[in-house]
Amino acid sequence: MEKQSAGMADGAGGNKKPWSSPSSAPVSGESLESPSGSHVEWCKQLMAATISSQISASADLINRDKDSLDEGLCYHGETDSEHPSDALNLPALRYGARVRMLQNQVPLLPGENIQTAIQDVMYICPFNGLLNGTLTITDYKLYFSSMERESPFVLDVNLGAISRLETISIPNQGENTKGLELVCKDMRSPRFAYKTEMSLPDVVDMLAKLAFPLSHSLTLFAFQYKEQFPVDGWKVYDPVAEYRRQGLPNESWTISKVNSTYELCDTYPSVLVIPTNITDDDIKRVAAFRAKHRIPVLSWIHPESQATIVRCGQPLVGPSDRRCKEDEHLLQIIMDANAQSHKLSIFDARHCSVADTNKTKDGGYESESFYPSVELNFLEIPNIHVMRESLRKMKDVLYPTIDEAHWHSNIDQTHWLEYIRLLLAGAVKIADKLESGKTSVVVHCSDGWDRTAQLTSLAMLMLDGHYRTLRGFQVLLEKEWISFGHKFSARVGHGDENHANSERSPLFVQFIDCVWQMTRQFPAAFEFNELFLVTVLDHLYSCLFGTFVFNSEQERTAKEVHTRTVSLWSYINSQPEEFTNPFYVDYQHHVLYPLASCRHLELWSTYYARWNPSMRPQVPVHQTLKDLLFLRAELQRRVEDLQRETSTHSRSPASEHSPTHATGTPLHTVV
Amino acid sequence: MFSVKPIKPTFKCYLPPLQGEVTKTIDPPIKKLEPKLLPGEIVVNEANFVRKCISPESSQDDLWGKLICTNFKVSFIPQDSPTKQKFQLSHLLLGDHDVPLTCLEHVVTVNDTKGKKKVLGSNQKLKFNPTELILYCKDLRIIRFCFDEAGPESAKKVCLAIAHYSHPADLHLLFGFEYQGRRYHECKAERLNGSVPRGGLQTAIFDRPSDWDREIKRTGASEWRVCSINEFYCVSSSLPEFIVVPVSLADQDLKQYSIYFTDNRLPLWCWNHPNGSALLRTASVCDPVQQRKIEQRIITAITKSNLQCSEVFSSDLDKCLPNIQEIQSSFIKIRQICVIDPFEESEERWLSAIENSRWLEYVRAFLKHAAEMVYHLEGRNVSVVLQEEEDRDLNCVVSSLVQLMLDPHYRSFFGFQSLVQKEWVMAGHRFLDRCNHLKKNDKEESPVFMLFLDCVWQMMNQYPAAFEFTETYLTVLSDSMWIPLFSTFLFSSSKQRAQCLMDFARNKAIPQGEDPVVYFPPVWNWSQQFSLKDQTLFNNPMYVGKGASCVLNGEVKCFRRTKKYGSILRGASVSLRNGLRGAADGFTRRGSLGSELKPEFSVMKEVVESPSERFIRDWFSRPADQQGLLIPLLTPSHVTLWKLYFLRWVPEACIPMGGSITAYHKLSQLVDEIEMLRDHLRQYKAPTPGGTPNPSPRGPPAAQRRMYFKAASPTDSPPEFLSSTFPFTPVGNLCRRSIHGTPISKFLNGARIWLSTETLANDSF
C-alpha cells in the first residue's frame, strides 16, 4: 500500500517542540498560567479521578533501582511521590494530577471566567461520604474543592457533560437547604446540598443557563476558548490529500465538486468521490431517490483489488416499490469499477424487519430483482433508541454503586456488549468481503449517518493501517464522522436543555468503545493509547473544542468553526507523546480482524466506571515498557561511549558491536 | 517388546473418505507408522486408518493415521509427515497428538449410525462397534477420532484398551514408576560424571530440616524452631517429617497435644512477617472436651513467639469458603461453558453463564479471604492461624496466597515453586485423590490446586511486573498435574510419597541412600519436559527487565533476593494515620452544613466498612510497589476469566495475530536487547587478561538468553504465528460436531457424565 502521510502540512511531525516538553505541566505549584499546562492537567485530573496513583509505583521502584546503580543512571520523570510539587512534572500518564488540588485556586482556561463561587456546599459523595467545600461555577465548568480531609478533594464537571439538572430533597434540613443533582452524559451524577440564602442568584438557574447555552440564546464555550496551540488541528484533515493517499482519483473514480455548495446534499461534505462515468444530472436524480439525498459515494478503496467501501442513505423505495434507473445504473458502475468481482454486496445495518417497516414509510432497501448482481445482507443492528436505552441501563449498573454479586449478569442485561459484538461482527463481514472476497460493498442504514458511519469507519480501521496511527485515526474521525454529517449536536445534545430529546444517542461512544475493544485484542497495532480515546470522549461532551460541535460540514462552515474555535487535534497533536502507545508496531500490511465474540469483549470500565474509586484499572504494562525503553536508550548511549573510547585507544573497529540498531532509535515512530 | 503387526493394505483404505470433497488422498505406499516410545513404554493396542478430526465444519483437514494405546498415553501417528507447528510449545515426552492416560477424563464411544454412545470405564464391554471415539481430557482438550475406515474390531479393541488402561488399579501401575526406574539406570553414567546435589534442583523441597532452617532465617523467625518429632511419621501420617513450632513448646508438649488434632496434625508454621507476626495453619481439634484447653495453650505459645502483639487471629476456613465439592461442581460448570457448549449458543448470555458457574466468585472469595489475613498480619501485627478440619485443602490455597501477597520472594520463579512445595506437597494436599489419578472415587476429586493457580493468575494479571514467571508457566504447571511422571502430583501425603518411593527404590534396585529427588524427580526439573529454549517462555520480561537493571559491572543484584520488605513497613504508619477516625474528622466544624447533614447521610451508606476493608482501601490509595505487599483488586470487574487456560483449545476463540502475547513479544525483544547491552558493558568494564577489552559481538550465547523472543530489527511487526492462544494451538482440538442432532454437550449433561461413568440409561445395548 502506498503510504503518504496526509495532513503533514503543519509539520508537527515527530519532532519534539520545546512547547510540548514536560512544561505542559506548570513548573511551580502556584500558578497555572501555562496555557497548555492547565489543559493537560484537566485531562490528567479526569483520569486521576479513576486511574489510581498506583502507576507511580514504578517511580518508587526506579528510585530503588537508582540506589543500587552506582553509575547514576537517571530516569526521566522520576519522582518521589511523597512530594506533590514534584509530581507536577510528571507526564500525564503518571496521573500525578491529584496533587495540584492543593492550591485553593480554581484553574482557569484562557477565555474562561468565574461566574460565581459558593461557600459551604456539601458534596454528597457516593463513595467517600460527605464533603464540605467551595463550589465554583465558571462558564466552562463546575469546580468543587474541599480542604477538609488530609488530602484536598476536587471534583470538576465540564458543564457540557451535564445532561439535566435536578433538584433533590434534603430531609430535615429546613426550607433553606436545597439539593442538586447533576445528571451527566459521562456516566455520573454528582449531588450537592447548599443553603439558598448564601447564594444569590439561584445556583440552578445560573447553571442551567451556562450548561445549556443554546437553549438560552447563548453560544457554546468553544467560541470563547482562547488557547493557542503550536499545532493547528484543523489542518489534520484535507479530504483531497486523504483521497490522494488512497490513490484517487483514478480512471474509475473522480473527486467531484458536485456538492461544493452543499446544494446536492446538505449533510454531505463538499468533496465527494463518485464514479467517473456518471453525469451530474444522473447524480441529482439519484439524490432524489436516496434518504436525505445521501447518494452512494466512495469512502475507501482497496489499494490492490480496487474494491471499494461505498456509503449512502437508504433508497426511497416506498410501499409501491419505486425504482430509479440512475440509482441502479450507479450501483452497476460501482460494481464494474472493481474488475475482480462480479458482485456488489450491500450491507444494510438494520434488522430486515425494520427495513421492511421503513419501506412502508417511504424508505426501504435495494431489491435484488431490480439490482442484478447485488447481494443484500442485513446486519441486524438495533437503532439509536435501543443503544441509548442500553447505555442508560449501564449507568444504573455502574453508578453510584455496583452490585458485586450480580455484576456479570447485570452487564449482560444491558446488552451493551452484545451490541458491540454485532457492530464488530458487521464491520468484520464488510472488511472480509473487501479483503478476501475482493468485492465492493455499499453500506447504509436509514439515513446513513449513524450505524453507517460506525460500520464503515470500523471496517476501514481493520483494513487500513494508516487509520491505526494517531494522525490517521483523526483523519478517520474527521472524514467518516464529522464531514459525512454524523449529527453530533443532535446525538450529544450540545448546550441543549431538552434532555429527553429522542434524537440523543451515544453512537459515537459506542464506536469508540469498539475501537477500544480492538486495541485490547491487538495491543501493539494502534499508535494511540487509551488516554487518547478517553480524551476524545471527554471532549465529545465538553464543548471546549469545535471538533464535535454542529451536525454537518455546512453548518460548521456557516458558523466559521475553523476560525472561531480550536480543534481537539491541536491539543492532542501538540503533545502526541502523551497519547502514544509505546507498544505500537506498524501492522501496515495486515488486515486485523477483531474477534467479535463475547469471550473477548470486555466492559470498558476505565471509561464507564471511572468515577467509582473501587474500579481502578490494573497497573498498565505500558509504564514498564516506557521504563525499559528509557533504560535501553541509556545503555546504548553508554555502550557507544565505551566503544568510542575503545576504538580511539586500540583503533580497532568496534562499531560492529552495536547489537541491532543505531543510536536510540525509537521503537516506534510518531507519524 | 510388543510386536507391531505389519499393516496389510486393504482395497478399502485407498478409497477417499466418505464425506466432503477430498483434498488429500492417502499416499499409496503406506509408511510404517512407528510410535515414539519412552523407556519402559509398551504398546497395548492399536488401530489403523483412523481419522483424527481437525475442524468442526469439514473433514478436509482431518488427519489419517494410526491410533495407539500404550501403558502411558494415547498416541496418534499421522500418515502424512506432520507439518510441524514451529512456534508452539513442544513437549519432550509427548507428541502433538499424544494424551497421557492420566489426562483422560472421559472416554466416550459413539456409533453414529445406530445413534448409540457409551462412556467407557475400566473392564467394560461394548456392545456396538464404535464409529467415533471422543476423548475428554482433564486439561480441557477434546479430541475426536473416527473409525469409518478402520476395522470395526480393532476400533473396538483400541477403545476398550484406552478405557481400561486409563483406570489403573493401583498407584504403582502409573507409568511414572516404570519410566523413572528405567531412566534412573540409563542415566546413571551421566550423573556420576558431574554429580550435583539434588540433581541441580534450585527449588527448596522442604523434606529436610535445612530447608526449614533457611526459611526461618530468611523470614527472621527467631522465635521459631525446626522440630523433628514427626520423623519417620511417628506422630502424624500427613504432616511432613520436619515442622516448625514455637520455641516455647517442647517436643514432649507437642506430642501430648498432637493426639487432640485431626490426624494428629499439629499447627504448622508457614511464614513470618518482619513485624514478628506469624502465619500458621492447623487442623481442627477433634476432642470437644479438650478443645478450649488445647487451643489456648497453642495460642499462648504462638503469642510468646510474637513480641509485638499479644493477640492471635484464628480463621475457620470451613465456615467462610466454598468446600471442595462446591469447587468441583463450579469447575465442571465453567468447563462446560468454555469448551463443551456450542460456541455460538453460549455467546448470548456469556457473562451470566460465567457468573452462574460461580468459579470467579470462588476465586474472589479466596483472594478476599487471603487479603483479610494480610490485614491482620500486616496492618495489626497479629499472628494468624488458618483452621480447616483436615488442614489439607482450603488452608493450602489461603496460606499460599497470603504469602504471595506479602512476600516478593514467592513471586520469583524458585520462590513460587518452593511455596507450592511447602504449602501443598509437604503440607499434605491430597493430590492423588484431588486429581483422581486412579479414577476410584469421583467424590474426592476437586481442582483445588487449579483454583489456586487461577488466583495466582488474577494477581499476575493485575500486577504484571511483579512475578518472575508468566501465565504460560502456570498453564504448563497445571498441565503437568496430568502427566504421571513426576513425584509432585502423584501422592496424597509425604508419608505416602516416602513409602512408595522406598518400595520403588527397592524394586528397581536403586541403591539405598540415593536422593528421591534424583531417582523420582519432581515436576520442578523442567528440563524433563521442555527444551531450554521453550523454558524461556516461563520468564516474564517485565520482571526480568527490572532485575536486569540491577546487573551492573558484572555484579548481580536482584531485588527478589533482598530481604528488606521496605514497602511492607509502610503499613505501620497507615494504621496510625488513617484509622477509623479519618472519615469522622471532616465533620467537626461546628455549625457547618456538614455537621448538620451528617446523621441523615451517614445512614444512606448501606454497608459499614470493616477495618480490613479500610486497610485494603488505604493500601490502594497509595502507589503499589510490585516488589512489596500486593493486594489484588477484588471487584468483579477485575477478577476475570483466565482466557489462556480456559479458552486455549477453542479454535473459535483464538485471535490470530492478536492477544496480549503481542505486547509480551515486544517486551521480550526489548529486554533481550537490554540484557545484551548490559553484557557488552560488563565486558568493557572487566578487561580480559590480555589487557584489551575484547567483547564478543553477539552478547551472551543464545542458550543463556532469558527471552524467548530475541531482539530484532525495530521495524519488525510481530510474527504472524502469534495468536491469543500462543504457545498453545487449538488446531486439532475440540471437534464438537453434533451426533444425530443432539449436541455432545446435551448428551453429556444428560448422562451426568462428570460425576459418574455409568452408561446412559436410555442407551439400550
Side-chain angles (χ1 to χ4, degrees), chain B residues 531-545:
Chain B
S531 67
L532 286 174
K533 160 84 176 162
D534 279 356
Q535 284 178 57
T536 55
L537 281 169
F538 300 167
N539 295 335
N540 174 6
M542 284 174 267
Y543 188 95
V544 173

Side-chain angles (χ1 to χ4, degrees), chain A residues 594-656:
Chain A
L595 197 72
S597 156
C598 286
R599 284 155 171 84
H600 287 285
L601 299 182
E602 297 162 65
L603 182 74
W604 188 10
S605 49
T606 34
Y607 176 70
Y608 299 115
R610 59 183 162 154
W611 312 118
N612 188 326
S614 68
M615 299 293 285
R616 272 168 314 215
Q618 305 161 7
V619 177
V621 174
H622 60 73
Q623 191 54 51
T624 312
L625 181 67
K626 283 189 168 176
D627 294 345
L628 291 175
L629 282 170
F630 186 77
L631 181 61
R632 184 189 63 179
E634 188 58 33
L635 287 168
Q636 273 171 342
R637 189 186 58 74
R638 285 216 250 152
V639 168
E640 276 150 22
D641 284 353
L642 283 166
Q643 276 170 353
R644 254 194 307 279
E645 239 172 77
T646 318
S647 58
T648 46
H649 279 300
S650 62
R651 300 178 53 83
S652 68
S655 56
E656 303 305 311

Side-chain angles (χ1 to χ4, degrees), chain A residues 437-458:
Chain A
K438 297 181 171 26
T439 302
S440 294
V441 298
V442 174
V443 185
H444 69 73
C445 44
S446 297
D447 293 322
W449 51 40
D450 290 317
R451 283 166 281 187
T452 304
Q454 291 179 319
L455 289 166
T456 56
S457 48
L458 284 173

Side-chain angles (χ1 to χ4, degrees), chain B residues 270-529:
Chain B
C270 305
W271 185 77
N272 239 59
H273 193 284
N275 68 18
S277 57
L279 176 69
L280 291 98
R281 52 189 286 176
T282 181
S284 52
V285 177
C286 43
D287 183 346
V289 185
Q290 298 291 329
Q291 190 175 1
R292 269 197 81 82
K293 197 179 92 191
I294 298 299
E295 281 178 0
Q296 203 45 55
R297 289 203 186 155
I298 298 282
I299 283 172
T300 312
I302 295 170
T303 324
K304 277 187 192 159
S305 288
N306 182 3
L307 307 170
Q308 307 292 319
C309 183
S310 58
E311 199 187 323
V312 169
F313 182 82
S314 191
S315 172
D316 187 347
L317 302 193
D318 288 322
K319 288 194 181 124
C320 48
L321 287 170
N323 62 34
I324 60 159
Q325 284 86 15
E326 286 167 323
I327 293 168
Q328 167 73 354
S329 72
S330 159
F331 185 73
I332 287 166
K333 279 187 204 142
I334 196 161
R335 168 165 59 185
Q336 172 84 30
I337 299 159
C338 289
V339 300
I340 298 173
D341 282 346
F343 190 83
E344 285 300 326
E345 271 176 47
S346 49
E347 268 299 280
E348 204 130 304
R349 312 276 299 156
W350 174 253
L351 290 176
S352 306
I354 293 288
E355 181 180 292
N356 288 339
S357 78
R358 309 191 74 176
W359 178 258
L360 293 179
E361 183 188 325
Y362 292 165
V363 167
R364 244 154 46 84
F366 277 92
L367 284 169
K368 190 168 185 203
H369 199 84
E372 272 166 32
M373 300 304 108
V374 166
Y375 156 69
H376 292 289
L377 287 158
E378 163 100 20
R380 295 179 60 221
N381 294 6
V382 164
S383 291
V384 168
V385 180
L386 304 173
Q387 193 189 318
E388 186 197 358
E389 167 134 35
E390 282 202 309
D391 181 29
R392 295 169 78 176
D393 289 301
L394 311 184
N395 271 0
C396 301
V397 185
V398 176
S399 72
S400 24
L401 287 177
V402 169
Q403 292 172 68
L404 269 177
M405 290 177 193
L406 282 164
D407 190 343
H409 167 70
Y410 295 120
R411 292 177 225 136
S412 72
F413 189 75
F414 295 120
F416 179 77
Q417 299 193 151
S418 66
L419 180 70
V420 173
Q421 199 62 35
K422 177 161 70 96
E423 298 302 330
W424 293 80
V425 181
M426 280 300 141
H429 177 66
R430 301 173 190 269
F431 278 109
L432 182 63
D433 299 334
R434 297 293 172 254
C435 294
N436 204 8
H437 286 315
L438 305 181
K439 300 187 175 59
K440 284 225 168 73
N441 189 351
D442 291 341
K443 284 198 185 92
E444 289 289 323
E445 185 171 344
S446 180
V448 185
F449 187 65
M450 178 53 219
L451 180 88
F452 164 67
L453 293 182
D454 199 332
C455 293
V456 178
W457 180 83
Q458 303 290 346
M459 290 188 61
M460 185 186 278
N461 186 40
Q462 295 187 18
Y463 301 102
F467 292 81
E468 188 175 9
F469 43 91
T470 58
E471 63 172 330
T472 300
Y473 168 78
L474 291 181
T475 311
V476 163
L477 180 58
S478 79
D479 288 345
S480 303
M481 273 200 283
W482 314 116
I483 305 173
L485 305 181
F486 321 112
S487 60
T488 312
F489 305 116
L490 286 186
F491 307 102
S492 279
S493 68
S494 46
K495 182 182 182 184
Q496 188 188 22
R497 174 178 304 95
Q499 277 178 350
C500 281
L501 294 187
M502 219 192 313
D503 293 349
F504 167 76
R506 211 172 22 244
N507 292 339
K508 302 288 173 186
I510 291 163
Q512 262 195 334
E514 181 69 284
D515 188 346
V517 167
V518 172
Y519 66 76
F520 207 120
V523 71
W524 315 127
N525 191 348
W526 290 104
S527 296
Q528 295 176 98
Q529 296 191 62

